[in-house]
Each structure stands twice: as structure tokens, then as C-alpha cells.
């Protein structure tokens, strides 16, 4: 009894759910579509319906669970268990998520923001190797981050701890959606890499397939840019080197401040893999304090899409351990 945990990764297109043992073994995994119509009014009932259905299916009851953890977009109030301003869910107003979940399931509920929860997943069961000092950077449509220091997630005084995507890496750079200039997100997200490519294409005069595609008005993706760079396309190599410089610089600041055992890079853009990591490492080493260079390792994320559900489970486990 009380030896299982459930994790929920709430996203704009789907809700992923998983049941793990408290040691972290994945027992069951499923997902449902996110119905964000009518201000997202169906989201919580859909999740609860799906949980009840699966508990029946696996012949489990609330007594089997230590707790349910959830990673959510938007502004999460961990102590109140509420979410506000999750625009990709159409949740504008305050959502009393914990109150609904605990009333409907009878299982203790814990919540944090999605980037933090993914960081916990990689720390616990992914590339972090369950070390207590791990930083996670996710490079996707945006750039998110989560910091685990001394075994605890860092939230900061107003919840903006770990906003790695908004570290300034290029003070005179592109404008960011947050209102600043030159945030890491403006150069290292999927759209950021494309913006970098367009900028360098204007200045570049030599031979390059990437340049001819851009000049021809073709749609460019970050994957294409990394693939061209792997093939030695001269402009793509310049763009990937600039990208790696900015990411390496950000990682060095993180390393110098926190000296984590690992800085884990995940998300769609990181699919470029070791090729990318090697280039980032070169710049990281140049900027990092010598002892940080030696002891903080840059790594690729290992859990992919499962980081969220696994980290959500760890919210429960970590709470139980620290009680
Ligand atoms: Zn920003």
C-alpha cells in the first residue's frame, strides 16, 4: 500500500500520465488530448475521468498511492495548489487544481511548473544520475529551465528562479517576448536559431545552400540548419557556432554560479546531439572557472517526452522523503 506514485504532465496538446513505483520504475503510461475549448473548462474533468478509468483498469485504489504530482504551464502557486495564466490551456483565471484533484481522487496532490518538473525528471531518472545539483535547459519553441541545488528546486522569491531562457547573452541582440533584448531564448530556441541564420545570411557572401534557401524565401527550420552544419555548409557552420557560443556562455554563468554536477540540455533543438554538445562545450570551457570546467559536465537529456511525468512523480517522492 502507498507504494505507487502518479505523474501528470499537462500540456497544450496532450496530457501525459504515468504510474511509477516510489523507486521510480515506470509501471503504466498513457495520454489524453487536451481539450482547451470553453476556457479549458473540460481539462480537469477529463484528467480525473481518465485517472478513475485507469485505476479501475489496473485494479488500483487511492490507498495504493503516495501521491499525485503534476507539471503545469502558466504561473503555479505551489502552496495553494493553483494555476493562473496558462494561455496554451486557455486558463486565464485561477484554477484550484489541487482542491479539485484531492476532492475527486482522495490522493495527496503536488504541483510545480512544467520546466521545473522536467528538470526533476532528468535529475532523478535521467542524465542527472540522481545527483542533488543538476540544472536542466530545454531548447524548444522557447527556452525553459529548472535548477536543482542541494536537492531542492530553486523557485526564488517570486517564482522566477531558473528562468534560464531569459539570461542575457547578447545585450544588443534580438528583442525577446519578455520585453528585454538578447535573452538566450532569442538565439537558442527553434525560432531563435532560424533568426540567427537569417541575420548571418544577410552578411554572408560565399557559397552556401542554406543561404540560397533563405535568399529564395524558403521555410527554414532549426533542424535543417544543424543538418547543413553537419554537412559542412559554410553559413550553417557559422550559425551553429554562434548558437553554441551563446549557449556555452549561458552554461558558464550557470556553472560559475552553482557548480552543478551536470547541466543537461534537452528539447527539440537538442536533437542535434553530440555534434551540438561538443561545440557548446568548447565555448563553455572557455568561459567557465577552472574548477567548474573540470567538475560541471554538459550532458544531453535522456528521458525525452517522459521527463515531465517522471519529474511529476518525483515531486511526490521528494515531498515524502523530506517530511
Ligand atoms: Zn526574455
Amino acid at each position: 500500500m502507498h507504494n505507487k506514485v502518479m505523474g501528470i504532465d499537462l500540456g497544450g496538446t496532450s496530457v501525459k500520465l504515468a504510474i511509477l513505483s516510489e523507486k521510480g520504475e515506470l509501471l503504466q503510461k498513457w495520454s489524453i488530448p487536451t481539450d482547451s475549448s470553453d476556457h479549458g473548462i473540460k481539462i480537469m474533468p477529463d484528467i480525473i475521468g481518465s485517472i478513475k478509468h485507469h485505476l479501475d483498469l489496473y485494479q488500483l485504489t487511492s490507498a495504493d498511492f503516495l501521491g499525485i504530482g503534476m507539471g503545469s504551464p502558466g504561473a503555479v502557486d505551489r502552496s495553494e495548489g493553483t494555476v493562473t495564466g496558462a494561455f496554451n490551456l486557455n486558463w486565464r483565471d485561477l484554477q484550484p487544481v489541487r482542491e479539485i484533484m484531492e476532492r475527486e481522487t482522495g490522493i495527496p496532490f503536488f504541483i510545480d511548473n512544467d520546466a521545473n518538473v522536467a528538470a526533476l525528471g532528468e535529475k532523478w531518472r535521467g542524465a542527472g544520475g540522481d545527483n542533488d545539483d543538476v540544472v536542466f535547459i530545454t531548447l524548444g519553441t522557447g527556452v525553459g529551465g529548472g535548477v536543482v541545488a542541494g536537492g531542492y528546486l530553486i523557485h526564488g522569491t517570486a517564482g522566477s528562479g531558473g528562468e534560464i531562457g531569459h539570461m542575457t547573452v547578447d545585450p544588443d541582440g534580438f528583442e525577446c517576448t519578455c520585453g528585454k533584448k538578447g535573452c538566450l531564448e532569442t538565439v537558442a530556441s527553434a525560432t531563435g536559431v532560424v533568426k540567427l541564420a537569417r541575420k548571418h545570411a544577410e552578411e554572408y557572401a560565399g557559397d552556401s545552400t542554406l543561404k540560397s534557401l533563405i535568399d529564395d524565401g524558403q521555410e527554414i527550420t532549426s533542424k535543417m540548419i544543424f543538418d547543413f552544419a553537419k554537412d559542412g555548409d559554410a553559413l550553417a557552420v557559422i550559425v551553429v557556432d554562434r548558437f553554441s557560443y551563446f549557449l556555452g556562455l549561458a552554461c558558464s554563468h550557470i556553472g560559475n554560479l552553482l557548480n552543478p554536477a551536470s547541466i543537461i540540455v534537452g528539447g527539440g533543438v537538442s536533437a542535434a546531439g553530440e555534434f551540438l554538445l561538443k561545440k557548446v562545450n568548447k565555448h563553455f570551457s572557455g568561459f567557465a572557472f577552472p574548477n567548474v570546467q573540470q567538475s560541471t559536465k554538459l550532458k544531453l537529456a535522456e528521458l525525452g517526452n517522459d521527463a515531465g511525468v517522471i519529474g511529476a512523480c518525483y515531486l511526490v517522492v521528494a515531498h515524502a522523503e523530506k517530511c
Side-chain angles (χ1 to χ4, degrees), residues 165-166 176-178 180 183:
H166 300 283
C176 184
T177 49
C178 74
K180 299 204 298 120
C183 295

